[in-house]
Structures are given as structure tokens and as C-alpha cells.
């Protein structure tokens, strides 16, 4: 059972999401929060698999709440998905940098919402939609000069190659096919890269790939 917390200051939005999620046999809504402070408290109390977090709330907003959840070792298993009214939002980019596993626009189709919750609950990042990569590339490349990261020195050449393909949006199976590897080997490479770099999931790998200048918009190895 996937346990979900809903965090949004609009009661009707929470009610709509609850109705969609509660209709599924494998998903349970275990709490609702009207602001970020309540969301963090519920994360500690319920230890949900996924928090659907509105980015703009009064008091403690979604950005701060996301950072507090994703940096707390006690909540390492809790994944955050950001809810936003429009996709090209620098607050969303900040939340992804803070450790969110992806984002959804609030007018998303019910099937996309359910898919997103399931993807993130199993430990993957919700980065498949092209708009997510567009958002990351837009804000990461506003910097005049990419900032090389010494953290990347820990990677082997093969791992750098794999990371670049992750940044370009390829799945483990697509990476395996491109590099002529088994899917299991591709998955192992990605897991090892995340461990070496100390990142939470693929979303943070994508951001680091752009911000370090490893890849640029439209890049493909």
C-alpha cells in the first residue's frame, strides 16, 4: 500500500486529489496539511511514501517544507512531489534542487497523477515528462558559467557517460541499449553514481549534470 500525505492550502484541491487517490486499491491518503509546517509534522508522524506538496502556501511554504523533509535522515524514505499551477516556476526548480523527486501541475489528468505517485513511491524520480527536463535546463542554464563540481571527480569515465545520459532523460533500459549493457548493469551504474555523489534520486542527478556543465540543453551523447 502506497501511503500519501496531501499538502495544499486549498481544501477543494485536497478533496479532489483525495477522491482520485482513494479510489485506487494500492493507495491510501493518510493525512492532509494546509501549510508546510503541518506537512513536515505529518511526514514525521505518518512516515508516508509520498508527500504531494503545494509549492505556494501561507507561512511555511512548500519549498521550505520540502527541504526540511528531504534533509532529515529520519525521513529518508519519504519522497516529495511538488504541486504547482504552472510548470516554468523557479520555485519548482528550487524544490527539485532541495530534493523533491519531481513535480505535477495541478490540472494534470487523474491517470498522470496516479502514475506519478506510483513512480515516485517505488523510488524513481518523476522526470520522464519533457517539461521537467525543460524546466531544469531553463533555470540551470541561466547561470553565466556552469560551476564545475569537484564531486564529479569521484566518477569513472563510464559513470560520467551514464550520468550524462541520465541527464538527457534516458531510462535505465534506454541507457543499457545505447551503451550495449544489460539493464541490471545500467541500474547498478546509476545507483553507484547516486551513492558516490550523495544525491537523493535521478532528479538531482539531472540537475547536477546541467549545473556542472556536463550537459547542455539539447545535448545527447
Amino acid at each position: 500500500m502506497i501511503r500519501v500525505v496531501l499538502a495544499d492550502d486549498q481544501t477543494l484541491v485536497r478533496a479532489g486529489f483525495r477522491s482520485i487517490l482513494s479510489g485506487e486499491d494500492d493507495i491510501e491518503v493518510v493525512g492532509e496539511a494546509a501549510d508546510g509546517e503541518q506537512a513536515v509534522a505529518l511526514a514525521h508522524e505518518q512516515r508516508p511514501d509520498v508527500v504531494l506538496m503545494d509549492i505556494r502556501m501561507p507561512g511555511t511554504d512548500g519549498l521550505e517544507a520540502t527541504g526540511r523533509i528531504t534533509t532529515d535522515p529520519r525521513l529518508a524514505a519519504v519522497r516529495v512531489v511538488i504541486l504547482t499551477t504552472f510548470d516554468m516556476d523557479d520555485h519548482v526548480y528550487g524544490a527539485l534542487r532541495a530534493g523533491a523527486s519531481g513535480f505535477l501541475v495541478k490540472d494534470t489528468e487523474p491517470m498522470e497523477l496516479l502514475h506519478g505517485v506510483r513512480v515516485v513511491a517505488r523510488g524513481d524520480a518523476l522526470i520522464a515528462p519533457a517539461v521537467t527536463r525543460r524546466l531544469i535546463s531553463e533555470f540551470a542554464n541561466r547561470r553565466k558559467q556552469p560551476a564545475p563540481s569537484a564531486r564529479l571527480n569521484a566518477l569513472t569515465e563510464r559513470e560520467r557517460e551514464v550520468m550524462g545520459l541520465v541527464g538527457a532523460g534516458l531510462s535505465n533500459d534506454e541507457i543499457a541499449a545505447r551503451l550495449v549493457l544489460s539493464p541490471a548493469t545500467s541500474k547498478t551504474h546509476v545507483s553507484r553514481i547516486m551513492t558516490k555523489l550523495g544525491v537523493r534520486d535521478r532528479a538531482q542527478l539531472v540537475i547536477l549534470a546541467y549545473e556542472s556543465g556536463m550537459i547542455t540543453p539539447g545535448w545527447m551523447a
Side-chain angles (χ1 to χ4, degrees), residues 3 54 73 81 105-106 155 173 192 195:
R3 305 174 76 252
D54 184 17
V81 175
V105 290
K106 289 187 179 182
L155 302 182
D173 287 347
R192 188 172 295 143
T195 298

Side-chain angles (χ1 to χ4, degrees), residues 144-162:
K144 292 182 178 179
Q145 194 73 25
S149 175
R151 296 158 68 190
L152 299 183
N153 294 336
L155 302 182
T156 65
E157 285 302 314
R158 173 62 89 183
E159 288 168 347
R160 284 172 175 267
E161 190 174 15
V162 170

